Amino acid sequence: MSGFWERLPLDLLIATPISGSDQVHWEWQANIRNLQIPPGMKFVHMKFPEPVIDITRDKAVQYAIQSGAKWLYFLDSDVIPPPDVIPRLMAHDKPIVAGLYVRRWNPPFNEMLRFRTDGMPGLRPIMDGEYVPGSLVGCDAVATGCVLIKTEVFERMKPFEMTIDGKPARPAWFLWTEWRLPVGASEDFSFFTRAKQQGIPVYCDTSLRCRHIASLKLVPSGNNSTQIEFMG
């Protein structure tokens, strides 16, 4: 029986960031066992525990690069995608492509966004009527709970450095700046902002509708509405 290191380089790293409790919902655990992987693909699923979410995502990036993986698939422990999500995302052959799910805070909206054009900084949700449901949508940012990224994207971007409160922040691909800068952002939106600045396109496959686990399971519907399922 071959050992793990004999299977390197990897084709795919499935990374689950853990920034809190490592307990997961039973349905998520069942779903991860049923994920479809293209035949012959060398892959590994790993959890990356770290108290701070941006650091745990960066550790997954570093591991993907070091293991020679072609793709990094982030699957958060509160997102339940369709079982065939990986081959369907890979079929698009895009640098960054995500499944669709709903933000679990108020107000809930589908997590695919574009830069605002009303003179205000930041991002706004792509609204109903701005895209064809079930299509592949070009956008400026998505949430990272269900996203496939070609590892070459990280090698192209390189970690960035910035100063916060007069002190240099750690070099990072993902860096949480919300509440730390006048116009800050979560670690995922900071990453996608930099990707777009460097001409790397971002897409969301709106046919891949994922459930987002909170006290309720939120299912994408319209951009200003959600379908709600009570937890089993």
Side-chain angles (χ1 to χ4, degrees):
M1 182 176 178
S2 62
F4 172 72
W5 294 109
E6 296 176 45
R7 292 186 278 130
L8 296 179
L10 293 173
D11 294 311
L12 169 68
L13 171 62
I14 302 172
T16 298
I18 302 292
S19 59
S21 170
D22 62 356
Q23 294 183 342
V24 297
H25 189 261
W26 68 266
E27 192 172 353
W28 185 92
Q29 191 65 48
N31 182 266
I32 193 74
R33 295 193 187 103
N34 292 325
L35 282 181
Q36 298 175 16
I37 306 296
M41 179 163 288
K42 293 186 288 185
F43 77 97
V44 66
H45 174 226
M46 296 182 65
K47 293 182 180 179
F48 289 84
E50 181 69 39
V52 184
I53 186 60
D54 53 359
I55 294 178
T56 192
R57 291 201 191 280
D58 271 352
K59 286 187 173 181
V61 171
Q62 292 166 355
Y63 191 90
I65 293 173
Q66 292 167 2
S67 62
K70 297 176 183 177
W71 293 277
L72 170 59
Y73 173 56
F74 277 118
L75 177 60
D76 286 5
S77 60
D78 57 0
V79 175
I80 302 177
D84 59 352
V85 61
I86 291 175
R88 288 171 65 183
L89 290 177
M90 286 183 171
H92 293 301
D93 193 27
K94 301 295 185 183
I96 303 173
V97 60
L100 180 64
Y101 64 91
V102 173
R103 180 176 114 134
R104 65 181 184 181
W105 310 116
N106 191 38
F109 52 75
N110 290 340
E111 293 266 26
M112 57 176 181
L113 304 100
R114 290 195 177 124
F115 292 120
R116 296 180 62 151
T117 57
D118 58 359
M120 299 294 289
L123 296 151
R124 65 166 183 84
I126 298 175
M127 305 298 289
D128 289 341
E130 295 185 86
Y131 73 99
V132 177
S135 66
L136 184 68
V137 178
C139 48
D140 293 321
V142 292
T144 43
C146 174
V147 62
L148 182 72
I149 305 173
K150 290 186 177 182
T151 308
E152 63 189 34
V153 166
F154 303 109
E155 295 169 333
R156 173 178 170 182
M157 289 177 61
K158 305 297 183 184
F160 71 102
E161 299 182 14
M162 63 188 306
T163 300
I164 299 177
D165 296 330
K167 300 178 181 179
R170 63 181 182 84
W173 288 277
F174 292 89
L175 186 64
W176 188 288
T177 60
E178 199 168 9
W179 310 308
R180 302 172 69 191
L181 292 175
V183 184
S186 57
E187 87 291 348
D188 42 9
F189 295 155
S190 295
F191 168 77
F192 290 116
T193 297
R194 292 187 57 245
K196 293 294 290 187
Q197 288 171 346
Q198 297 191 30
I200 300 171
V202 178
Y203 295 89
C204 181
D205 184 339
T206 61
S207 73
L208 286 167
R209 299 169 68 246
C210 310
R211 284 172 289 172
H212 199 181
I213 300 173
S215 55
L216 302 170
K217 287 182 286 189
L218 303 178
V219 183
S221 179
N223 272 312
N224 290 312
S225 63
T226 56
Q227 298 173 9
I228 297 177
E229 296 180 3
F230 289 94
M231 297 291 287

